[in-house]
Amino acid sequence: MPVDLSGTWNLHSSDNFEGYMLALGIDFATRKIANLLKPQKVIEQDGDSFSIHTYSSLRNYLVKFKIGEEFDEDNKGLDNRKCKSVVTWDNDRLTCVQNGEKKNRGWTHWIEGDELHLEMFCEGQVCKQTFRRA
């Protein structure tokens, strides 16, 4: 049985967010503001169905999906690109592959100890973030 990621999580650390945003083509001003933010994630998990809300003072983002089912993802408020995404379990890691204009794009969530980890990747750039329960 996969791990339960449900909960409210606050950003604790972030590494290479700038490089990741550059790979996405996000403009200079937005990158500078985004680097100052401390987003909060609220993950709701019901069996194979998920909703992940990301809240910040700049933008909020919601993604809903079911494990193994491809869905249309609109990254409005992020890099404003649309992609076909699919999320699967890789052992205890929740992994998303986002197919679209940008190559090798996606993310992975997992829990280690009391922390939620997130790796976001795009075109060779990897951002590593850790979150702690609120």
Side-chain angles (χ1 to χ4, degrees):
M1 175 95 186
V3 67
D4 185 1
L5 302 176
S6 296
T8 301
W9 304 87
N10 294 326
L11 182 68
H12 174 69
S13 67
S14 184
D15 180 51
N16 197 36
F17 193 41
E18 177 80 13
Y20 172 74
M21 290 188 292
L22 271 169
L24 288 174
I26 294 174
D27 68 85
F28 176 82
T30 303
R31 288 195 322 268
K32 295 309 165 197
I33 292 168
N35 264 320
L36 298 173
L37 300 175
K38 298 288 186 189
Q40 181 180 72
K41 287 192 173 289
V42 177
I43 300 176
E44 297 173 6
Q45 180 177 347
D46 182 13
D48 283 344
S49 297
F50 282 79
S51 68
I52 301 176
H53 297 258
T54 304
Y55 299 102
S56 76
S57 55
L58 178 63
R59 294 187 176 118
N60 297 325
Y61 182 69
L62 168 64
V63 61
K64 292 182 177 188
F65 56 88
K66 190 166 186 172
I67 298 296
E69 292 184 8
E70 186 176 71
F71 63 99
D72 293 320
E73 187 173 5
D74 185 351
N75 291 301
K76 186 174 173 79
L78 300 174
D79 65 332
N80 296 316
R81 287 188 175 85
K82 294 182 180 183
C83 51
K84 296 275 189 186
S85 299
V86 65
V87 182
T88 57
W89 283 110
D90 180 10
N91 294 314
D92 284 341
R93 294 179 180 225
L94 193 62
T95 300
C96 178
V97 174
Q98 298 168 312
N99 293 306
E101 182 181 333
K102 293 291 183 175
K103 303 299 177 211
N104 301 316
R105 180 177 179 177
W107 51 259
T108 301
H109 274 296
W110 73 95
I111 292 179
E112 238 175 65
D114 294 333
E115 293 183 327
L116 174 72
H117 292 261
L118 169 62
E119 282 187 2
M120 299 177 288
F121 49 91
C122 179
E123 298 189 344
Q125 292 293 319
V126 179
C127 171
K128 297 179 181 185
Q129 296 182 332
T130 58
F131 294 78
R132 292 189 175 156
R133 285 199 189 272

